[in-house]
Amino acid sequence: MKTYSRLSHPKSVLITIVLAFAVPDSVLGQQSNFRSDEAKLVLSNIKDDIKKNYYDPKFHGIDLDARFKIAEEKLKTATSPGQLMGIIAQLLLDFDDSHLFFIPPGRSSTTDYGWEMLAVGDKVLVSAVKPGSDSEAKGLKEGDRVLSISGYQPTRDNLWVINYLFRALRPQPGVRFVLEDPDGRQRQLDVMAKVRQGKQVMDLTNSIDFNDYFRQLETEDRLHRSRWAEFGDDLLIWKLPTFAVGDSTIDPMIGRIKKYKTVILDLRGNGGGYVTTCQRMIGAFFDKEIAIAEQKGRKEIKPMKSRHSSYQFAGKLIVLVDSRSASASEIFARVIQLEKRGIVIGDRSAGAVMRATFMPHQIGLDTIIPYGASVTDADVIMSDGKSLEKVGVTPDELILPTAADIAAKRDPVLARAAQVTGVKLDPEKAGSLFPIEWRK
């Protein structure tokens, strides 16, 4: 069995994985034994994964056998594939571990909601509305505060779980929002998603290289490419949306930035990625080897250290983070702080910093249905002896966009970072540099 270690929060990778291994809805519905024998097998395989690989042999004080026995009993009463998947998923969520979660079989259909949410401070706001979507037509506005979504009250801590529910476990044809606009007025909106039906047959009977599959999906996705803006030779702003890219993507950008006096590295929305990419990135900003972190698991794991880069950037560095900056991007930002290499500006990061291994499985003979689990195999202890899990990185300058800023597409965080470098960049212009790109 192949496994894949990552420093990446489920917010950033889960949907890609689920969509990659999509299985027609009709297949799940026609599996006559799925609700009993096969669901039980899924549960048993995940239990074995956790028993053998989970970094804490005491499982946070959870009685593993008892918890899985309860879940097995619940499966007997499930009346739909969605319910039994929810039972399995909830079992892992109860560990309250950012990197332990169930990756269910996907669907051939894709659900495009046409909106995005973002935690800003202690509020959850609509951060983007897709042009031409039902959300736009119904009057959903960027900057609206989300008081509830289909009965769930989103918070900074549970937002990723809500996204997991709506985008992976149980995609919905529509949702009901209760909102508050920037002026304090409340309203309710029912907005529909756009559901696209894909192929009804997938040939998954051949051997699947999950590692290559991830790389192809994430590297080729235009939404994950680097973007940048130049201001003479004084400043380059580099927006890096993921660490789930290889040296061939990172190295050319490192070579590009070395001539500038200052670089603003925008890691807002960066959910993490590969351990090796994080090491490479850190190596590009130091002229010596850096001890990044200790990795505490059941087995002895080598300390995480920076990797040498052919190019080093010696100028001034500013790093931007927000509530969606997770895992590897948090490690990078914290190293910059601890080593006093630059300053960090923005909102407190996600606090989702563990190392995980993806455990792939499949059920079925004639029709193969892949699924899996992300299993935390190490805690990451920074050089100051502290873990970032549930803590996150507190910026050197805490700057939060207001609801009015988001509504007007202003970016006061990037504008402030540019001001620190001596470059005049007003919030309106800053907000126009890297517009959101939607899936087509």
Side-chain angles (χ1 to χ4, degrees), residues 117-295:
M117 296 186 293
L118 172 68
V120 180
D122 59 357
K123 299 178 181 179
V124 174
L125 306 177
V126 175
S127 59
V129 177
K130 187 175 183 177
S133 66
D134 187 64
S135 300
E136 182 187 51
K138 294 288 179 59
L140 187 66
K141 301 291 185 182
E142 292 156 353
D144 282 336
R145 182 178 182 182
V146 182
L147 302 179
S148 74
I149 175 171
S150 295
Y152 296 93
Q153 296 179 341
T155 67
R156 184 187 185 94
D157 293 333
N158 72 13
L159 183 56
W160 83 265
V161 179
I162 292 174
N163 278 322
Y164 174 52
L165 172 65
F166 281 95
R167 298 181 185 276
L169 281 179
R170 295 183 181 179
Q172 302 294 310
V175 299
R176 170 167 289 180
F177 281 109
V178 177
L179 305 160
E180 181 181 272
D181 69 22
D183 295 324
R185 295 184 295 266
Q186 292 188 14
R187 69 193 192 282
Q188 177 178 295
L189 288 180
D190 293 326
V191 299
M192 303 304 294
K194 184 175 183 179
V195 180
R196 296 184 179 90
Q197 187 64 45
K199 294 181 179 179
Q200 289 298 308
V201 177
M202 287 188 68
D203 181 9
L204 295 173
T205 57
N206 296 322
S207 175
I208 299 173
D209 186 330
F210 286 87
N211 295 4
D212 287 343
Y213 224 69
F214 287 153
R215 292 190 183 99
Q216 291 171 13
L217 287 166
E218 294 181 319
T219 301
E220 293 175 0
D221 191 338
R222 66 183 178 84
L223 306 180
H224 287 173
R225 76 187 194 281
S226 287
R227 290 185 282 174
W228 63 89
E230 301 167 306
F231 295 83
D233 292 332
D234 293 326
L235 172 64
L236 182 135
I237 302 170
W238 177 8
K239 187 167 184 63
L240 179 62
T242 180
F243 277 55
V245 292
D247 293 351
S248 62
T249 298
I250 293 297
D251 287 352
M253 278 302 300
I254 295 172
R256 174 185 290 273
I257 69 175
K258 67 177 184 176
K259 71 175 185 178
Y260 293 89
K261 295 178 182 178
T262 304
V263 164
I264 297 174
L265 182 60
D266 190 347
L267 298 181
R268 291 174 297 176
N270 184 317
Y274 307 146
V275 176
T276 54
T277 301
C278 181
Q279 294 171 302
R280 185 75 158 199
M281 281 290 293
I282 291 172
F285 291 91
F286 293 90
D287 59 3
K288 62 180 181 179
E289 183 179 76
I290 298 297
I292 300 172
E294 298 287 335
Q295 301 179 86

Side-chain angles (χ1 to χ4, degrees), residues 95-113:
F95 279 74
D96 193 25
D97 180 324
S98 67
H99 284 59
L100 177 66
F101 56 94
F102 172 51
I103 300 171
R107 295 171 172 81
S108 60
S109 59
T110 59
T111 303
D112 183 356
Y113 289 107

Side-chain angles (χ1 to χ4, degrees), residues 343-362:
I343 62 173
V344 179
I345 297 176
D347 195 0
R348 179 169 59 88
S349 64
V353 185
M354 305 290 277
R355 196 188 81 165
T357 297
F358 173 62
M359 312 297 295
H361 295 286
Q362 61 187 34

